[in-house]
Amino acid sequence: MAEIKRKNEKKKSQAGIAWDAVLTGISYMIPFIVGGGVLEGIAKAMGGYNIAADMAAVGDYTQYTLAMVVYAIGAAIFDVSVPIIGAYIGWALADKPGLAPGFAVGVISNTIKAGFLGAVIGGLIAGYITIWLKDLSKKVPTDVSSVFPILLIPVISTGVTSLVMWYIVGVPISWIMNIITGALTNLQGVGGFVFGAAIGAGMSTDQGGPISKAVALVANGLNADGILGPAACKMCGGMQNPLGVCIAQIIDRFTGKKKFTDKERSTTISGVVLACCYIQEYVIPFLVQDTWRCLVPCLIGGAISGGLCGYFALESAAVHGGVFVIAMMSNPLQFILFWFAGAIVTGTLYFLLRKPVDQEAEMAGNGVLDKLLG
């Protein structure tokens, strides 16, 4: 399909292009993290939370139990997630020629323990080197340019990017990742609460917008590096928002204060379903119409949910999935308790702060609600 160019359309900056490429890499990475993480969670439910240590003790893979095999499959999928980030960042910048060097630099990043951050930076380097080589191929004689896509671009781009990652970029990144890993592994208590509260509040700021995406990017990346706590803080802090708004509507029904319109209250059940599915966009129309009265309770509730997850070092192998992955967390009952704790705070505060409204008023436009309401 031909691309339509609008006359007054602003050209994206290089920073914007790079950021879009990173988000593309993350979007392709998430199915691998979810698939691998859920399988690992199922294996832990079958064979115990310390199944990885049990596998190391067994040694020979031919002696694995079914739970160990499931865990090994999940771990294998999980291990590919970091190279996938690099591959699709490279692809987003340079199209197909960027895939191989991006994937290679992701593998190198795993090897030298530069992790998710290394794959992101390496993918960007791979993409821009590939773009430079593609531009160079247009400036050489035709006989030579035909060799570029088949031989020179994949070999030079992959080789140069991997060497840059191994000897230059990867060294400081690996050092930084080791510090982060050491600081966050088994983080709990007051430090865990502060870290988790920051994640939960960040996820409750713009309900799926740029700030939430940036926080999710960090949590998902740490999850790919085997640090599973931030994913639990992220999911719990995010899921409490729509549930909290629904709780405010339920309180409104029973008190008769009429702080929500009839149309808003008609979405309560659908909102609970969306909360269970971890779809925060349900909150957007309420945030648009009544910004600070909705935002402040969400921030407080998100900080409480995320902070409690951090305080008790709750872990989630999956980065998405809502209620469907709760059973695979390190402590499912704790997650449910913390989820409802934050949502009750959000809902109660939102109800108290909100003013009575015209019962015939319309809601702000929102794709999710538009579909729900027909």
Side-chain angles (χ1 to χ4, degrees), residues 37-362:
V38 169
L39 285 175
E40 287 188 358
I42 292 172
K44 288 177 180 179
M46 293 169 60
Y49 208 75
N50 293 320
I51 190 170
D54 296 338
M55 291 169 65
V58 171
D60 185 2
Y61 74 90
T62 61
Q63 303 300 315
Y64 283 177
T65 63
L66 177 60
M68 291 177 179
V69 171
V70 173
Y71 187 87
I73 294 170
I77 297 171
F78 211 79
D79 287 345
V80 181
S81 61
V82 170
I84 287 295
I85 303 170
Y88 280 97
I89 289 175
W91 171 78
L93 289 172
D95 209 354
K96 288 181 181 179
L99 270 173
F103 191 89
V105 81
V107 173
I108 298 299
S109 186
N110 265 346
T111 303
I112 64 175
K113 309 300 181 186
F116 156 79
L117 184 59
V120 169
I121 295 175
L124 292 171
I125 294 172
Y128 284 114
I129 288 177
T130 303
I131 290 172
W132 176 73
L133 289 170
K134 288 170 69 176
D135 291 341
L136 182 63
S137 69
K138 299 173 185 177
K139 300 175 182 178
V140 298
T142 305
D143 293 341
V144 179
S145 65
S146 62
V147 182
F148 269 76
I150 300 172
L151 180 63
L152 295 182
I153 289 179
V155 172
I156 295 175
S157 184
T158 300
V160 170
T161 305
S162 298
L163 289 171
V164 168
M165 173 57 66
W166 191 288
Y167 287 108
I168 302 173
V169 179
V171 175
I173 294 177
S174 178
W175 179 72
I176 292 170
M177 288 305 299
N178 284 334
I179 293 175
I180 293 173
T181 301
L184 297 182
T185 301
N186 298 321
L187 182 65
Q188 54 186 332
V190 176
F193 183 89
V194 173
F195 181 72
I199 292 177
M203 292 302 298
S204 304
T205 303
D206 53 0
Q207 309 301 332
I211 296 174
S212 298
K213 281 185 171 65
V215 174
L217 187 150
V218 174
N220 294 345
L222 292 172
N223 193 273
D225 289 331
I227 303 172
L228 309 183
C233 300
K234 179 201 78 166
M235 201 181 307
C236 200
M239 287 173 65
Q240 67 82 30
N241 293 293
L243 184 60
V245 171
C246 292
I247 288 173
Q249 294 171 15
I250 293 169
I251 296 173
D252 189 47
R253 283 178 184 272
F254 284 98
T255 59
K257 296 294 184 180
K258 295 186 177 180
K259 293 187 175 184
F260 292 87
T261 68
D262 292 334
K263 196 170 186 181
E264 287 171 333
R265 283 193 296 269
S266 71
T267 68
T268 302
I269 295 176
S270 300
V272 172
V273 173
L274 292 173
C276 292
C277 296
Y278 189 16
I279 298 177
Q280 292 182 235
E281 284 78 4
Y282 173 77
V283 182
I284 291 174
F286 303 96
L287 188 64
V288 170
Q289 285 182 330
D290 201 16
T291 303
W292 79 265
R293 290 186 180 91
C294 182
L295 176 61
V296 172
C298 286
L299 288 174
I300 295 172
I304 289 172
S305 286
L308 287 171
C309 288
Y311 186 88
F312 290 96
L314 190 66
E315 293 184 337
S316 173
V319 297
H320 213 288
V323 297
F324 303 102
V325 299
I326 290 178
M328 299 157 199
M329 294 186 178
S330 57
N331 192 320
L333 292 178
Q334 274 189 348
F335 181 89
I336 295 171
L337 177 63
F338 301 157
W339 174 29
F340 274 84
I344 290 170
V345 171
T346 294
T348 303
L349 289 177
Y350 186 31
F351 170 76
L352 292 173
L353 291 174
R354 193 169 165 110
K355 302 296 183 184
V357 295
D358 177 7
Q359 295 301 294
E360 303 300 322
E362 293 292 323

